[in-house]
Amino acid sequence: MIMAAGKLYLVPTPVGNMEDITLRALRILKEVDLILAEDTRTSGILLKHYEINRPMQSHHKFNEHGTVSGVADRIEAGSNIALITDAGTPGISDPGFMLVRECAGRGIVCECLPGATAFVPALVCSGLPCDRFCFEGFLPQKKGRATKLELLRSERRTMIFYESPYRTVKTLGQFVQVFGADRQASVSREISKVHEECRRGTLQELYGYYAAHEPKGEIVIVVAGCGGFATDSDTDTESEE
């Protein structure tokens, strides 16, 4: 008897508020044979809150090179496995890509659930054009940072960046130098948490504010594209749905 292959589930988890998880995500986490977690201690809090008692295994950027093959083997042998990260959707500035690539290469079914991703509410609340945007995630901390920013100098789409609170002021200062002091932007932090904040203004205004008020929590910076706000005449908003 040949056992049918299992499936890989990519399950988004809340970026802040524990209630920001879907009923389907909870059901799948209760049904799978194994949950791969970026940090089992962090994910353990969420699973305990929802009374989910499934085996967990660490899967993070420091060990994924050596574990993806074994995980794919287990799925081919019939196990259903879910991948979660500390917050948000796996693969978006978090582990996930390597495992999906391995499974896709073997013909294993991968199912990604819709759910929490920090950059979407930050973009929508920014007041900047949402019809065309580019997600840049975390910029290189050292090598390649200046080159990357220079490449983005003429980017016309709205740009989205993730940043640590400890580097936010430095990054905003670099944005002022590269994109210009008057470029419109927003800084969102603590998304979906009690102290959620979205502050809008020019890059110079935001730099000045956070230089005087130390930012806390996870940060999403949204910057207008080159040329300012989009207009109906220079953007294509036609839907293909």
Side-chain angles (χ1 to χ4, degrees):
M1 178 179 178
I2 300 177
M3 182 177 295
K7 182 184 294 187
L8 172 66
Y9 293 95
L10 303 156
V11 182
T13 53
V15 297
N17 194 309
M18 283 270 198
E19 295 178 354
D20 294 338
I21 190 167
T22 67
L23 295 174
R24 181 177 168 214
L26 293 175
R27 175 180 61 80
I28 287 176
L29 291 175
K30 291 177 180 179
E31 293 177 351
V32 293
D33 301 296
L34 175 68
I35 297 174
L36 301 177
E38 183 179 7
D39 187 326
T40 56
R41 295 165 299 181
T42 300
S43 296
I45 297 172
L46 176 70
L47 299 183
K48 182 178 181 180
H49 179 79
Y50 285 107
E51 300 181 342
I52 298 172
N53 300 302
R54 305 306 302 155
M56 273 198 298
Q57 178 179 313
S58 294
H59 183 86
H60 46 71
K61 65 180 181 180
F62 301 108
N63 72 358
E64 61 180 339
H65 289 81
T67 59
V68 293
S69 180
V71 171
D73 289 343
R74 289 192 60 171
I75 299 174
E76 284 186 325
S79 294
N80 290 311
I81 295 179
L83 173 64
I84 60 177
T85 59
D86 290 348
T89 299
I92 304 298
S93 292
D94 278 321
F97 162 70
M98 294 186 66
L99 181 56
V100 172
R101 180 178 62 182
E102 178 74 16
C103 290
R106 299 193 191 193
I108 295 171
V109 176
C110 302
E111 189 171 317
C112 183
L113 279 63
T117 303
F119 79 79
V120 173
L123 171 63
V124 173
C125 286
S126 70
L128 297 172
C130 303
D131 54 338
R132 299 181 65 218
F133 59 89
C134 59
F135 174 70
E136 295 296 330
F138 288 97
L139 288 166
Q141 291 187 29
K142 294 181 180 179
K143 185 178 181 180
R145 187 180 181 91
T147 301
K148 182 66 174 180
L149 286 173
E150 189 59 35
L151 289 172
L152 292 172
R153 183 189 292 272
S154 58
E155 174 59 64
R156 295 186 60 82
R157 296 170 295 178
T158 301
M159 297 171 283
I160 306 167
F161 305 88
Y162 284 168
E163 191 51 281
S164 159
Y166 308 108
R167 293 192 298 270
T168 296
V169 174
K170 176 182 178 181
T171 296
L172 288 171
Q174 291 175 325
F175 285 178
V176 168
Q177 294 176 354
V178 175
F179 302 133
D182 294 331
R183 184 79 67 94
Q184 291 292 315
S186 73
V187 174
S188 294
R189 65 180 192 86
E190 298 286 75
I191 291 175
S192 86
K193 297 180 182 179
V194 174
H195 300 293
E196 178 175 357
E197 176 186 61
C198 179
R199 185 167 293 273
R200 307 170 187 85
T202 65
L203 283 172
Q204 185 64 53
E205 290 170 341
L206 293 170
Y207 171 74
Y209 178 83
Y210 286 107
H213 303 82
E214 182 181 1
K216 297 180 180 179
E218 297 302 315
I219 305 292
V220 184
I221 304 174
V222 183
V223 181
C226 177
F229 290 96
T231 64
D232 291 340
S233 62
D234 61 17
T235 60
D236 179 7
T237 57
E238 182 179 353
S239 172
E240 297 181 358
E241 296 180 352

